Amino acid sequence: NAGVTQTPKFRILKIGQSMTLQCAQDMNHNYMYWYRQDPGMGLKLIYYSVGAGITDKGEVPNGYNVSRSTTEDFPLRLELAAPSQTSVYFCASRLSASTDTQYFGPGTRLTVL
Amino acid sequence: EDKVVQSPLSLVVHEGDTVTLNCSYEVTNFRSLLWYKQEKKAPTFLFMLTSSGIEKKSGRLSSILDKKELSSILNITATQTGDSAIYLCAVRENYGGSQGNLIFGKGTKLSVKP
């Protein structure tokens, strides 16, 4: 199993550009998450999904969008990138409502200039 | 306000020292507390503590949950430079609270000097 994979590893965007961060998992997990991590601030939840076709906002959803058309994939879309979106983005997954452990992808470091 | 508070935020020790990291929480309906280790990449799972499993140990790392004090500690004995990392604490409420999502603290950055 590859676990949770993310692409790209690094990206530099200009203000106003858009991009999609890719996340995939091959563990047949129902729940998937997107977090951002700023220095000294822990992990902030952006969006999450409890299954294909179902998504919901987390703590910091503004400026982002998600979709979940399959169990495996959970892309995060940034529209009109802003410097405040400079961060490290982690995707995570967990098996079901009755399990607690989340497994994380390797992260995407995004810089918006 | 922060529901999960970790202390200290950073810590510098020398190899061989023993360290204790703290995590306190304030949630309505506690289900579990998880510890993660984050080196220069993704957080990796260390322990999960619940009402039925309040103490966990793996090698030089151990963790205890104090449900009365709403807190947990992570102990690392005989520290090594490879223990240098950010240690994250996260709490999960029972389903219906925070939608069962994890609530993370800000982390403790541990630096172990040779």
Side-chain angles (χ1 to χ4, degrees):
Chain A
N1 282 354
V4 180
T5 58
Q6 292 182 238
T7 56
K9 288 192 172 70
F10 305 95
R11 183 74 185 265
I12 298 175
L13 282 182
K14 294 183 179 177
I15 294 171
Q17 287 185 322
S18 300
M19 77 164 293
T20 299
L21 281 66
Q22 302 292 344
C23 173
Q25 51 90 13
D26 62 358
M27 299 177 283
N28 204 30
H29 284 182
N30 291 316
Y31 287 65
M32 295 187 75
Y33 303 85
W34 274 107
Y35 293 92
R36 61 176 287 171
Q37 186 177 37
D38 301 314
M41 295 303 292
L43 292 164
K44 300 287 187 184
L45 182 63
I46 305 171
Y47 271 96
Y48 67 100
S49 169
V50 302
I54 307 170
T55 63
D56 206 349
K57 295 177 181 178
E59 186 181 356
V60 290
N62 291 344
Y64 307 94
N65 273 302
V66 294
S67 60
R68 183 104 182 264
S69 56
T70 66
T71 299
E72 294 78 20
D73 300 296
F74 190 40
L76 177 72
R77 178 85 178 158
L78 279 72
E79 305 281 2
L80 298 175
S84 61
Q85 293 177 305
T86 294
S87 190
V88 180
Y89 292 85
F90 289 102
C91 179
S93 71
R94 81 180 156 103
L95 177 60
S96 68
S98 59
T99 60
D100 297 58
T101 307
Q102 292 184 17
Y103 298 91
F104 286 81
T108 295
R109 183 175 293 275
L110 175 68
T111 302
V112 182
L113 300 174
Chain B
E1 69 278 359
D2 291 345
K3 290 188 171 184
V4 179
V5 178
Q6 293 186 244
S7 64
L9 293 180
S10 67
L11 187 58
V12 180
V13 300
H14 288 94
E15 272 193 316
D17 289 347
T18 294
V19 298
T20 299
L21 311 183
N22 301 284
C23 177
S24 62
Y25 59 90
E26 186 177 333
V27 297
T28 305
N29 194 2
F30 174 86
R31 173 187 166 102
S32 61
L33 185 146
L34 290 81
W35 285 97
Y36 285 84
K37 178 182 181 182
Q38 184 180 22
E39 297 171 89
K40 293 182 180 178
K41 45 188 178 176
T44 53
F45 173 72
L46 291 174
F47 299 120
M48 184 174 77
L49 303 162
T50 66
S51 298
S52 57
I54 62 170
E55 189 165 355
K56 294 286 175 73
K57 183 176 172 62
S58 176
R60 297 178 294 102
L61 276 67
S62 62
S63 184
I64 297 173
L65 176 69
D66 187 336
K67 282 203 70 180
K68 186 177 177 183
E69 296 296 326
L70 306 184
S71 65
S72 174
I73 60 171
L74 176 67
N75 278 323
I76 308 175
T77 59
T79 52
Q80 303 171 357
T81 55
D83 295 325
S84 296
I86 296 173
Y87 291 84
L88 296 167
C89 172
V91 170
R92 183 184 171 190
E93 296 181 272
N94 269 313
Y95 191 76
S98 305
Q99 293 82 40
N101 296 327
L102 292 178
I103 306 167
F104 282 87
K106 293 181 179 176
T108 293
K109 184 176 180 180
L110 174 65
S111 299
V112 182
K113 303 288 188 189

